[in-house]
Amino acid sequence: MGDTVGDSLRRVAKGAAIFFIGSIVGLFIAFIGRIIVVRYVSPSQFGVLSLSLVVFTILCTIASMGLPEGLTRQASYFLGKKDLEKVKAVFGAGIYLSTISGLLAAAGLFALSDVLAEFFGMPDVSWTLKIFSFALPVAMLNRTLVSIFRTYERADVKVIFSDLLPNTLRVAFIVAMVILSMSFYWVVMAYFFSIVISGIVFLTYSLRNVEFKTSESVFKYFKILIFFSLPLLIQSILGMLITWTDTLMIGYYLASSDVGLYNGAQPLAGLMQNFLASVSFLYFPIVSQLYARNQLREMGRTYAVVTKWLMSASLPIFLVLFFFPDAVLWLLYGEAYVPAAYALRALALGFFTHVMLGPNGLTLIAAGEAKFPTIAGFIAAVINFVLNLILIPLFGITGAAIASASTYATANAMISLKLYKDYKIHPFTKNYVKPAFISLAVALLIYLISKTLIQVEGWMLPVLFILFVVIYLLSLLFTRSFDQEDVMIMLSIEQRLGVDLTWAKRVLKRFV
């Protein structure tokens, strides 16, 4: 069991290293751009931009029809059979379908932009959606190209063209427009240009590095891709509804400034999910292989260790966001966004619940249980809508945040209970629980002391974050909560990044 689990975890770590570092850098760049925009435009204008981007993202997801995931699966299947002509045929079918779907979705968004603006009571949403409609086919093509390179396990391509290039271009355009004191219209154009230019560069790179010509008929793979991808589309839509229902309903019930406030807080809490995304890229195929070999114990152990890593990485961020949300918002966005503090606290709790239970949905799907996560997603989407319907009129954006947090907790609890009931798989080992409990207790004590004796200000947050990291690491050491796999993963990181971690490995081995 040990060798199998160790090999699985090393493979996850090697794939996640580039993915994680690249996505974090990309997220940081995007976050810098968001802060500049928030400080440059009014909350009402930021609300219009945020709502337009939500509609754009939703339409991209629907128009994709689940094709990115379906394409990767089908192409990987034929690649495993060493049938390269069929692999290229699937690639071609995916390109054709995403292009057609993207053009139709773009036409629909342009035509309905005035209706949507009237529905939300925000006239400026009309022209912003018209602009974004022209970028929609490019965004669709980008998703398809990422799935093509994912077939070959090229996480570096995804990082470069989905995380780094568009975010860097966007920030560069935004900075230039701020320096030139340009209007809100040009801020919107900065987002548009970053999508289109990065898409053109990505397409050029793909044409030079991927062979698309094939002797197979591309069109006969349309049906294969569509029918396989539609169930994945249902899951994507449900996840999207859970993610964006709160923003859309805030736009309906409240003012555009409230949308801006909420969308200042939501991405902060969502930072924790980046750790989950970084390991999911290779975790899913690896645990699928373990299940295929009937290695359920190894599968459960891999899930438990990966989830512990996710919780460990997310805990310090959660503690800062949960205990000091007002200081975080003041530091990053300014005093105008401090009213979103309670919403940020609720959202942080909801997202942390998601991360602390790890890739439970992917583990179920790897075990052939694709139907249950869809059912759980449907129930969660209904709960989310009902709670938003009740809580937003009563508590504003805080009500929306409570609805989202409750939804994440409910959906993940359902999936984790199913995972434990059917396969006896759960993440709550003693090495997971002990340091987490001690760290939470100490953090609560620090919070109570700070509320009594001092006023925590923005400049103190980096110190608090480092303090929480140190507290968690010390709790790991003194409770001897390191696993053998932690040493293995450090070896993988050392080999991948070329960093000498001998001293750290020596310390770990004393406490395993």
Side-chain angles (χ1 to χ4, degrees), residues 159-438:
V159 164
I160 292 170
F161 293 105
S162 288
D163 298 322
L164 299 182
L165 181 60
N167 288 326
T168 301
L169 286 174
R170 187 181 306 124
V171 171
F173 289 140
I174 289 171
V175 169
M177 290 168 189
V178 170
I179 291 174
L180 295 174
S181 300
M182 302 178 83
S183 66
F184 175 61
Y185 170 83
W186 289 104
V187 173
V188 175
M189 292 303 295
Y191 281 77
F192 171 80
F193 286 135
S194 66
I195 296 171
V196 173
I197 293 175
S198 60
I200 293 172
V201 175
F202 194 6
L203 178 61
T204 303
Y205 176 86
S206 302
L207 292 174
R208 292 179 178 178
N209 290 273
V210 178
E211 179 60 51
F212 291 102
K213 291 183 179 180
T214 175
S215 59
E216 292 276 338
S217 172
V218 170
F219 298 101
K220 74 178 184 179
Y221 289 90
F222 280 16
K223 183 177 179 180
I224 295 174
L225 273 181
I226 290 173
F227 277 95
F228 184 84
S229 300
L230 283 179
L232 300 175
L233 171 63
I234 295 173
Q235 291 189 32
S236 297
I237 291 175
L238 291 171
M240 174 189 66
L241 287 174
I242 294 171
T243 301
W244 297 116
T245 293
D246 44 7
T247 298
L248 294 174
M249 293 185 72
I250 289 171
Y252 179 77
Y253 279 110
L254 307 176
S256 59
S257 58
D258 293 300
V259 177
L261 288 173
Y262 190 79
N263 279 275
Q266 190 182 50
L268 293 174
L271 285 170
M272 292 177 283
Q273 289 203 106
N274 286 275
F275 298 109
L276 182 58
S278 67
V279 302
S280 296
F281 195 80
L282 287 184
Y283 172 84
F284 179 59
I286 289 171
V287 294
S288 297
Q289 294 172 32
L290 293 176
Y291 181 78
R293 296 194 293 264
N294 201 33
Q295 293 177 308
L296 294 182
R297 288 183 62 199
E298 290 81 355
M299 184 178 173
R301 181 61 181 161
T302 301
Y303 167 72
V305 175
V306 166
T307 303
K308 179 187 144 186
W309 296 343
L310 290 170
M311 189 277 297
S312 302
S314 304
L315 184 61
I317 296 175
F318 165 70
L319 293 174
V320 171
L321 294 178
F322 185 79
F323 286 124
F324 308 103
D326 46 353
V328 172
L329 291 166
W330 181 88
L331 175 67
L332 296 176
Y333 299 144
E335 189 174 354
Y337 282 79
V338 172
Y342 286 109
L344 176 56
R345 178 171 285 165
L347 287 167
L349 184 60
F351 280 113
F352 185 65
T353 302
H354 187 33
V355 173
M356 69 181 288
L357 291 173
N360 48 11
L362 285 179
T363 308
L364 261 187
I365 295 171
E369 296 280 357
K371 186 180 295 185
F372 187 84
T374 304
I375 295 172
F378 176 77
I379 294 172
V382 172
I383 292 173
N384 192 38
F385 177 78
V386 172
L387 287 177
N388 274 293
L389 197 66
I390 296 171
L391 296 178
I392 290 177
L394 292 176
F395 304 109
I397 62 171
T398 303
I402 294 171
S404 290
S406 302
T407 300
Y408 279 118
T410 302
N412 279 280
M414 290 172 62
I415 293 172
S416 291
L417 286 172
K418 175 71 171 177
L419 191 60
Y420 179 73
K421 178 178 178 291
D422 290 355
Y423 304 100
K424 305 303 177 187
I425 292 176
H426 66 87
F428 300 113
T429 63
K430 64 178 181 179
N431 286 348
Y432 176 104
V433 174
K434 288 188 298 184
F437 180 79
I438 292 173

Side-chain angles (χ1 to χ4, degrees), residues 92-106:
I95 294 284
Y96 276 118
L97 286 171
S98 64
T99 301
I100 294 169
S101 179
L103 290 172
L104 291 174

